[in-house]
Amino acid sequence: MKYEAVIGLEIHVQLNSATKMFCDCPNRPGDEPNRNTCPICLWFPGALPQLSQEALEKAVLACLALNCRIQPESAFDQKVYYYPDLPKGFQLSQHHKPLARNGWVDILGEDGGNKRLRIHHIHMEEDVAKLVHETEGKTPISLVDFNRAGIPLIEIVSEADMRNPHEAMEYVKTLRGQLRYTGSAECSLEQGTLRVDANISLRPRGTDELNTKVEVKNMNSIRNVGDAIAYEIIRQTECLEKGEPIVLHTRLWDPEKRVTAPMRGKFSGPCLPDPSVAKIVVTDDWLKEMQGRLPEMPAQKAERFLREYGLTPEEASNMSLERDLAEFFEAVLKQDLPSRKVASWIFTHLVPALRDRNQTIRETLLTAERFARLLSMLEKDLINAHAAKEVLLQLLSSGETPEEIVEKGRFRQVSDASELESLIDRILAEHPSDVADFRKGNAKVMGFFMGLAMKASQGKGNPKLLKEILTKRLS
Amino acid sequence: MGSEIYTHRNPSPDSPAHDGPLSGKKVVIQPNVAVRGWLCDAGSLALEGYVALEDATVVTRLRKAGAKLVGSSRMSELGFGLVGDTATRVLTAGEADIALVTDTMGEARIAAAGSGVFGFKPSFGMVSRFGLVGLVPSMETYGILGKRLEDVVDTFSVIAGKDMDDPSMPDEAFTAIPATREPLKLPCTAGVVKECLAILEDRERKAFQTGLARLEAAGLTTREVSLSEFDLFRVVHNVVASVEASSSAGKYDGVRYGHRSLSGKNWNDMYLNSRGESFSPLIKTFLFQGAYFQFENYPAFENACRLRRRLVRAVTDLLGVVDLFVFPTRRLEQDAPRAATINHIYDAFSLTLPANVTGQPSLQVPSLALHTGADLGVQLIGLRLRDSRLFSIALKLSSAAQGGSAA
């Protein structure tokens, strides 16, 4: 039988508010263990939770960015379970009255067409403490770090609209881009500030059954999300074909072995309304203010880039994926440079350089203004592309102007014809057989000579001029 | 520094505020109110040795008003019921003018009735719960006990009011805080709930009639009203309170403070044994009950919440017709201070717990409903968040009725 996968994702995102969700402790889980704690997040007797306005605002911005409808009234519940990562025997979460419902994101489906994936709801909840399991001598010990306890999270619960790993990966990628635009969250799978749980079930193709699902956790990259889902589809297909029933349970993705393995029975405790945290009542005025704070979203930006700067649809879409880069691009264009050339320099030189250095553009010393001046020099033939690349790398970590770097590093292009002519004459004299080859009709030799000439000029020869001279001398 | 009556005695109760509204008044609190440096064990082994890290909002306000905190009395485990409570002993011994007793189902008012003093449970949301080690967050509030009604009113005025540390307090509560000591001038009508009288024994009914007659003589008009679902207060309280208690007591695991069991091979054993050794059979039963509704019968909890809203509506509607309710406070047949099973406790507190379910203010007035030497106690119950108005009525009545302290 042919099966079809039904996939829904539950995504936890840590918000980057300055403080925790219900107290004034700093939101810095990476600090020395248990440094960022207080009677509220340790839940000492008599403590009362106080919802952070900043966390609420960041959560609302995130919901708006995912096209959700903010509910006029939402409230917190106590999700009851007993585990050492919870200091009070329940987690404050929104079960009965979530912050927002009915959102969506658009993705590019596998067939290249647009597909809209629906979001069922988004609710707020507090993160739990981190457990560290170690051994002391031969005794296994478990340590609890409460720095993470009480950090604000939103949980984004999708509808089960996804049918294959590609759609799930695109969903995460798109959603992450949109959330990052709002500035509410860092959304790093690697660092655990965005965590994906996938619910996967199978059904005979063409039916609309909803079968028992299996939950898969612990994917720390988008590629792992796709791989884990793909693995799980194969595993469940084999089960069904062998006639084994699918049981509701949770599995962990093992990125080393590239398999999923069963983890624990699915526990669902009760959720009861919390009497202490104030209800969240959203007024129209406030919502309008929040909507006003929402930046232009990637899809709108891509459309505008297409229209205003004549980028291709693919360029426009790539250029709008990250807000920092998109804004950098537009700032560079203020200097009256050809837009597609700027886009191409950003993608082929700047982005790879940033990736090599594991930095974001904000973390470097490069500014849009200095990048624009570098590209202007290139436009005016004062330097060649090879030199421009070198200068760009230096601009990332140096405060000097591009002009200063060009002068100091002698990157200025050599356009002095007589200097280049004598250089070429010397090369041709040293390679008589290659010259003969060329004259016999082997056109490829031209490239070989160009390479030698560039090298001899230490990368500074004006390539247009070099080619002219070579053609003249060889004809 | 504890004793048979005190959990903690304050060696230096003097407050630096000499001209505050409570200047010189001696106040005893319970050990479930956080005072920095004081033992704060809420009468439970689960909090054994726990010393508070900061002051509760009420403590800060009492001190600022010039009150002398003489210490904390002994209390029932986690404030549920009155077994072992010594607050009224401190009062009647003259060692305090005011006692704070947490009122979850009527503890403050029943204790006051048993000792012939005033006992006031404010509206839910009027007094900050920051620093209160509670059990049933949606029902409990500090009760104020005193021999003189004026002391009760003054104490309420000091501790009530918006506190940014307690976000559950409604904003609208604080427009009429400075509780007036002016007796109300308007004529007013009290509703006597028919279904509430129906459960009284003969002796109790007679005492209550005496109380009503005194109130009428003081100018109160009474009329019979019907709350057909009166018997639901008890079951709603029981279900909701046990569920909330089960949740609130979840934090007592012996990890960060309190009693930790020495036995057990892993954390799970440690939780189970620590909790098992900490709680009394009464609290265990109550927590089990709450856990049952949480895990096994959640729809019953949801129904109880729905019924609670219906009861609040019914009571609010009736208070559009009458100005207040008059209830008896206690059952003479029930020995509340010794009630130590769930059923026994709910029997003994059946007349006080409705105000905890609805969040209404309720004032126990002594020495009105007397019969053959016993004081049944009378509760004046008003509209939620209109505590000041209830005081005005009480002052009017107590200035006229025999037994109320002189205004």
Side-chain angles (χ1 to χ4, degrees):
Chain A
M1 198 187 300
K2 281 275 185 201
Y3 292 104
E4 151 178 272
V6 178
I7 303 160
L9 300 184
E10 290 170 9
I11 299 182
H12 284 90
V13 174
Q14 260 183 17
L15 300 176
N16 60 6
S17 55
T19 66
K20 290 188 180 181
M21 195 163 196
F22 294 111
C23 62
D24 293 334
C25 288
N27 176 357
R28 286 198 309 265
D31 284 3
E32 182 193 331
N34 293 311
R35 191 183 181 83
N36 302 326
T37 55
C38 76
I40 294 177
C41 56
L42 290 177
W43 224 256
F44 272 56
L48 286 174
Q50 175 110 258
L51 180 63
S52 144
Q53 180 72 18
E54 192 202 357
L56 173 64
E57 288 175 4
K58 293 206 152 166
V60 165
L61 278 180
C63 294
L64 290 174
L66 300 176
N67 308 299
C68 287
R69 289 231 305 276
I70 305 295
Q71 301 300 292
E73 191 183 300
S74 56
F76 280 88
D77 296 293
Q78 306 178 343
K79 194 169 162 186
V80 177
Y81 69 92
Y82 294 90
Y83 206 64
D85 63 5
L86 260 188
K88 57 184 177 296
F90 59 80
Q91 180 187 22
L92 284 166
S93 177
Q94 296 182 309
H95 178 74
H96 298 292
K97 292 181 166 181
L99 180 65
R101 297 181 195 267
N102 300 331
W104 48 264
V105 293
D106 284 335
I107 61 152
L108 230 45
E110 234 171 356
D111 58 3
N114 191 57
K115 180 164 177 177
R116 178 156 294 184
L117 299 172
R118 293 168 304 155
I119 292 169
H120 181 267
H121 75 265
I122 299 181
H123 65 257
M124 284 192 276
E125 65 184 28
E126 54 176 343
D127 212 340
V128 298
K130 196 169 123 190
L131 296 179
V132 183
H133 304 286
E134 290 177 354
T135 50
E136 215 171 55
K138 280 181 182 167
T139 319
I141 52 165
S142 293
L143 302 168
V144 192
D145 177 6
F146 285 100
N147 280 353
R148 204 179 65 180
I151 283 178
L153 298 176
I154 50 171
E155 181 173 345
I156 304 157
V157 180
S158 79
E159 296 281 1
D161 283 350
M162 287 155 268
R163 296 288 171 266
N164 54 52
H166 168 85
E167 290 180 359
M169 291 194 294
E170 284 299 308
Y171 172 74
V172 178
K173 215 183 288 173
T174 311
L175 174 147
R176 182 180 65 178
Q178 288 176 204
L179 290 179
R180 280 180 178 164
Y181 256 67
T182 64
S184 294
E186 312 306 325
C187 295
S188 157
L189 276 93
E190 291 76 11
Q191 310 204 344
T193 53
L194 185 152
R195 295 164 229 156
V196 180
D197 300 342
N199 289 303
I200 303 146
S201 65
L202 296 188
R203 68 183 174 201
R205 197 175 288 275
T207 67
D208 52 7
E209 291 171 19
L210 279 181
N211 293 321
T212 307
K213 64 190 183 185
V214 172
E215 185 183 31
V216 183
K217 291 175 178 287
N218 197 39
M219 291 83 82
N220 64 356
S221 70
I222 289 186
R223 175 187 285 248
N224 277 342
V225 170
D227 290 352
I229 293 174
Y231 176 87
E232 193 53 27
I233 292 173
I234 294 169
R235 193 191 67 82
Q236 288 189 28
T237 306
E238 286 172 358
C239 281
L240 290 172
E241 280 168 356
K242 276 187 269 178
E244 289 170 10
I246 305 289
V247 227
L248 181 72
H249 70 299
T250 300
R251 300 178 75 84
L252 277 187
W253 170 249
D254 183 333
E256 300 294 315
K257 296 185 191 148
R258 317 200 62 72
V259 296
T260 65
M263 179 184 153
R264 58 168 189 227
K266 182 124 172 93
F267 176 83
S268 63
C271 281
L272 30 128
D274 182 273
S276 295
V277 186
K279 271 189 309 200
I280 299 168
V281 179
V282 172
T283 62
D284 289 346
D285 284 348
W286 187 72
L287 195 56
K288 245 181 233 146
E289 191 201 318
M290 295 306 291
Q291 267 152 349
R293 276 206 235 161
L294 203 64
E296 184 184 39
M297 284 287 120
Q300 299 161 288
K301 216 182 261 289
E303 204 176 299
R304 190 165 58 78
F305 284 178
L306 203 75
R307 212 172 50 233
E308 285 183 14
Y309 303 126
L311 300 190
T312 66
E314 201 195 341
E315 286 167 345
S317 159
N318 285 336
M319 190 52 91
S320 52
L321 268 182
E322 279 181 46
R323 186 175 170 184
D324 279 356
L325 213 57
E327 286 174 355
F328 181 82
F329 169 65
E330 288 209 271
V332 173
L333 288 188
K334 287 203 183 111
Q335 307 300 317
D336 196 27
L337 287 158
S339 52
R340 292 200 56 202
K341 184 154 189 184
V342 172
S344 146
W345 263 79
I346 289 178
F347 288 132
T348 45
H349 303 301
L350 178 56
V351 170
L354 291 173
R355 203 181 299 131
D356 286 347
R357 303 159 67 98
N358 201 11
Q359 275 183 320
T360 65
I361 193 139
R362 274 169 193 272
E363 288 163 349
T364 70
L365 289 174
L366 184 64
T367 61
E369 191 256 331
R370 290 160 75 227
F371 187 63
R373 275 159 67 181
L374 173 67
L375 293 190
S376 305
M377 289 167 80
L378 181 67
E379 276 298 288
K380 290 179 195 145
D381 267 345
L382 296 174
I383 52 174
N384 63 27
H386 178 80
K389 257 191 288 185
E390 292 295 317
V391 177
L392 174 62
L393 291 180
Q394 295 197 27
L395 283 174
L396 290 174
S397 51
S398 150
E400 288 173 301
T401 65
E403 291 80 1
E404 283 164 355
I405 294 174
V406 164
E407 283 314 315
K408 227 161 71 188
R410 299 168 199 269
F411 287 115
R412 189 174 282 278
Q413 185 156 262
V414 179
S415 300
D416 177 340
S418 62
E419 194 179 323
L420 295 180
E421 273 166 9
S422 64
L423 181 147
I424 282 173
D425 289 341
R426 199 169 65 240
I427 291 170
L428 296 182
E430 282 165 10
H431 298 83
S433 61
D434 296 295
V435 172
D437 256 14
F438 182 82
R439 295 210 164 116
K440 270 186 230 149
N442 186 355
K444 278 186 193 159
V445 179
M446 182 58 123
F448 169 71
F449 284 132
M450 271 301 281
L452 287 177
M454 277 311 272
K455 201 172 160 193
S457 72
Q458 288 167 312
K460 285 176 289 190
N462 179 336
K464 230 160 73 192
L465 213 50
L466 279 175
K467 190 152 187 202
E468 269 174 35
I469 299 167
L470 263 172
T471 316
K472 213 161 60 193
R473 288 284 196 274
L474 287 169
S475 60
Chain B
M1 278 191 285
S3 68
E4 194 191 331
I5 294 182
Y6 290 95
T7 303
H8 177 89
R9 270 201 103 145
N10 188 4
S12 49
D14 284 339
S15 158
H18 293 299
D19 50 357
L22 294 179
S23 174
K25 295 286 177 191
K26 288 174 288 182
V27 178
V28 65
I29 60 168
Q30 289 180 304
N32 63 345
V33 185
V35 184
R36 192 187 161 92
W38 289 24
L39 179 64
C40 183
D41 66 4
S44 179
L45 203 54
L47 281 132
E48 185 183 34
Y50 175 68
V51 173
L53 298 170
E54 49 190 320
D55 290 347
T57 302
V58 291
V59 167
T60 311
R61 290 184 180 175
L62 284 170
R63 282 193 169 138
K64 207 173 144 209
K68 297 177 170 189
L69 294 184
V70 298
S72 50
S73 58
R74 296 216 167 266
M75 67 183 291
S76 63
E77 184 170 16
L78 301 175
F80 183 62
L82 279 172
V83 172
D85 196 281
T86 58
T88 49
R89 285 172 68 183
V90 180
L91 270 189
T92 49
E95 289 171 16
D97 304 298
I98 287 291
L100 294 189
V101 172
T102 305
D103 195 305
T104 305
M105 57 195 315
E107 288 83 350
R109 288 161 286 159
I110 299 270
S115 304
V117 298
F118 289 92
F120 179 60
K121 180 199 94 70
S123 292
F124 182 80
M126 277 298 239
V127 181
S128 168
R129 289 185 300 116
F130 179 77
L132 172 69
V133 182
L135 189 64
V136 183
S138 81
M139 295 193 185
E140 69 211 356
T141 173
Y142 294 95
I144 306 166
L145 278 67
K147 286 183 200 160
R148 300 174 68 241
L149 180 55
E150 292 74 11
D151 288 345
V152 173
V153 176
D154 291 345
T155 305
F156 171 75
S157 311
V158 163
I159 64 176
K162 186 79 181 163
D163 174 20
M164 296 312 285
D165 286 330
D166 182 352
S168 68
M169 302 176 84
D171 293 331
E172 67 269 27
F174 310 111
T175 44
I177 280 292
T180 173
R181 284 175 65 163
E182 284 294 295
L184 192 75
K185 297 207 171 59
L186 302 165
C188 64
T189 309
V192 177
V193 175
K194 198 167 67 179
E195 292 79 2
C196 165
L197 295 188
I199 62 170
L200 299 184
E201 311 262 337
D202 207 37
R203 186 160 72 111
E204 294 165 338
R205 194 169 299 120
K206 280 183 183 143
F208 189 57
Q209 297 299 351
T210 311
L212 282 183
R214 286 203 168 118
L215 289 171
E216 282 163 355
L220 187 74
T221 310
T222 62
R223 61 180 271 199
E224 199 171 86
V225 293
S226 171
L227 249 176
S228 59
E229 296 185 312
F230 184 79
D231 56 341
L232 289 178
F233 278 113
R234 175 183 174 145
V235 65
V236 165
H237 189 289
N238 194 343
V239 174
V240 174
S242 65
V243 166
E244 288 187 16
S246 170
S247 240
S248 309
K251 60 179 169 284
Y252 303 129
D253 51 20
V255 173
R256 288 143 298 150
Y257 50 80
H259 170 73
R260 184 188 292 185
S261 173
L262 295 173
S263 63
K265 289 190 201 71
N266 52 41
W267 64 263
N268 208 30
D269 283 358
M270 186 188 89
Y271 274 19
L272 289 172
N273 298 341
S274 300
R275 289 169 67 83
E277 291 163 19
S278 290
F279 297 128
S280 68
L282 173 66
I283 288 292
K284 269 184 205 159
T285 314
F286 201 51
L287 300 185
F288 278 144
Q289 206 177 77
Y292 164 75
F293 290 116
Q294 282 182 337
F295 290 88
E296 301 293 334
N297 195 355
Y298 193 74
F301 170 68
E302 288 180 308
N303 282 337
C305 293
R306 229 169 271 137
L307 288 176
R308 185 180 190 185
R309 283 195 290 276
R310 206 156 88 193
L311 289 169
V312 168
R313 246 194 331 267
V315 162
T316 313
D317 286 351
L318 272 181
L319 284 175
V321 181
V322 294
D323 297 283
L324 72 157
F325 296 115
V326 181
F327 274 34
T329 305
R330 61 177 182 142
R331 303 293 313 274
L332 295 176
E333 307 304 317
Q334 306 288 342
D335 189 5
R338 286 190 183 74
T341 65
I342 303 283
N343 266 340
H344 199 170
I345 287 182
Y346 273 94
D347 284 342
F349 290 81
S350 57
L351 296 168
T352 45
L353 60 84
N356 298 88
V357 170
T358 58
Q360 291 172 280
S362 169
L363 176 70
Q364 129 72 24
V365 184
S367 312
L368 290 176
L370 300 169
H371 184 73
T372 59
D375 187 352
L376 185 69
V378 164
Q379 292 178 80
L380 308 179
I381 302 175
L383 205 54
R384 182 169 170 224
L385 304 179
R386 302 296 298 277
D387 302 42
S388 300
R389 187 176 149 80
L390 188 68
F391 279 135
S392 311
I393 296 171
L395 285 160
K396 170 193 169 93
L397 296 173
S398 67
S399 60
Q402 190 193 13
S405 80

